Amino acid sequence: MKKVVACMLVALTLSGCKTSPTGRTQIMLYPEQQMDEMGVASFDQIKSEQAIESEQSSNQYVSCIADALIAQLPNKYASQKWEVVVFKDDSANAFALPGGKIGVHTGLLKVAKNQHQLAAVMGHEVGHVIAQHANERVSQSSLLQAGLQVSNAVMQMNNIEYRNTIMQGLGVGAQVGIALPFSRSHETEADIIGLELMAKAGFKPIGAVELWQNMEKLGGERPMEFLSTHPSPDNRIQRLNNKMQSANSLYQAAKQKGLSPNCKI
């Protein structure tokens, strides 16, 4: 039984191997159509539960940035119909979901001081979508859960002492050792994709660094990085600065093509 389940897990893993936009190997077990349907359903639920900003200038401003970014996406995403909604929420947040959905909170408009800084956040969130991070996270969760169930079954069959304690340890180990670093790698990858995307669209790449400097000033308690799903702002800024030279080259190329967004609130 143990060997059969192990073989099934290996087969599933191998069949779901793909490569991310930055060249990282990914495991994705679910069809894109299914993920799109889940994203659309989640977005519809959010719209039914959260207040939507009706003020025209905010909506036009966010849509202007979204249009510029979407135009630079790979064709299968650029040709997709996207829905952009501004939500009345004081948190400095934004998100994008499979199925062409983008949400921006009004609180973010107070932290992102200009179009370049807001494009950095929106580009980051769209980066999660085109890298199919949602699919990867769901697939990872399924595999982790299956692995823990197999471990538990094996220990039951062999009457392992302290099985419950061992299983709790395995659960914590999987979370800290696999799930959280995996999530941080997604954030770092989305930062890189978003930085390149905003530069190709004609937004100033330095806006990404300025945005995270603004986020740092917000303060608030944060968990240690190894217990967090997100890299620390300092580490994000350092990694973004490391990519700034190539991003500026993309930005200059965009300017030569006449791409210079003028999105104002």
Side-chain angles (χ1 to χ4, degrees):
M1 178 63 182
K2 180 172 63 175
K3 292 181 179 179
V4 170
V5 174
C7 288
M8 289 174 63
L9 290 174
V10 170
L12 282 171
T13 301
L14 291 176
S15 66
C17 281
K18 295 186 179 180
T19 303
S20 77
T22 64
R24 182 176 55 83
T25 300
Q26 299 174 289
I27 296 173
M28 291 184 284
L29 305 179
Y30 297 90
E32 286 188 51
Q33 182 179 352
Q34 184 178 354
M35 297 304 302
D36 287 349
E37 291 171 355
M38 291 169 61
V40 170
S42 295
F43 200 71
D44 287 343
Q45 182 178 352
I46 293 170
K47 287 194 296 181
S48 70
E49 296 174 351
Q50 286 192 234
I52 295 176
E53 175 62 68
S54 59
E55 203 273 319
Q56 190 173 10
S57 62
S58 296
N59 282 281
Q60 290 177 340
Y61 174 55
V62 172
S63 293
C64 175
I65 295 171
D67 289 344
L69 294 170
I70 291 167
Q72 299 305 313
L73 293 176
N75 186 58
K76 77 172 185 177
Y77 295 105
S79 60
Q80 185 177 19
K81 183 178 180 181
W82 288 76
E83 181 181 6
V84 183
V85 176
V86 181
F87 293 97
K88 286 185 178 180
D89 192 308
D90 290 335
S91 63
N93 196 21
F95 61 93
L97 297 173
K101 307 296 179 181
I102 298 174
V104 174
H105 291 183
T106 51
L108 180 60
L109 304 183
K110 300 174 184 177
V111 180
K113 304 297 185 181
N114 54 49
Q115 63 171 352
H116 311 289
Q117 294 179 17
L118 185 55
V121 183
M122 294 175 65
H124 168 97
E125 297 302 331
V126 171
H128 280 305
V129 173
I130 66 173
Q132 299 187 60
H133 287 162
N135 194 333
E136 201 173 358
R137 290 296 301 279
V138 174
S139 300
Q140 175 214 27
S141 179
S142 297
L143 289 172
L144 280 176
Q145 187 62 36
L148 290 174
Q149 288 174 350
V150 169
S151 298
N152 188 41
V154 170
M155 285 189 287
Q156 276 185 322
M157 287 186 291
N158 290 279
N159 294 318
I160 300 296
E161 192 175 5
Y162 308 122
R163 179 173 58 85
N164 290 336
T165 302
I166 294 172
M167 284 306 300
Q168 289 175 3
L170 285 173
V172 173
Q175 178 69 7
V176 176
I178 301 175
L180 292 181
F182 200 49
S183 182
R184 289 197 296 273
S185 72
H186 284 173
E187 290 301 310
T188 299
E189 187 168 58
D191 279 346
I192 295 170
I193 295 171
L195 182 67
E196 293 178 351
L197 179 59
M198 67 181 291
K200 288 178 181 178
F203 296 104
K204 296 178 181 178
I206 194 62
V209 171
E210 294 171 346
L211 182 280
W212 282 108
Q213 290 172 337
N214 293 349
M215 288 288 194
E216 181 75 24
K217 292 175 184 176
L218 291 179
E221 293 185 8
R222 297 186 181 92
M224 292 180 289
E225 183 167 347
F226 83 97
L227 290 176
S228 174
T229 58
H230 289 60
S232 67
D234 285 345
N235 283 340
R236 297 185 97 141
I237 290 170
Q238 181 180 350
R239 290 177 183 133
L240 287 167
N241 277 326
N242 290 341
K243 296 288 183 179
M244 199 55 61
Q245 184 175 352
S246 59
N248 280 325
S249 296
L250 294 174
Y251 170 64
Q252 293 301 326
K255 286 178 63 178
Q256 292 175 3
K257 294 177 183 177
L259 297 176
S260 183
N262 186 28
C263 305
K264 296 179 180 180
I265 192 166

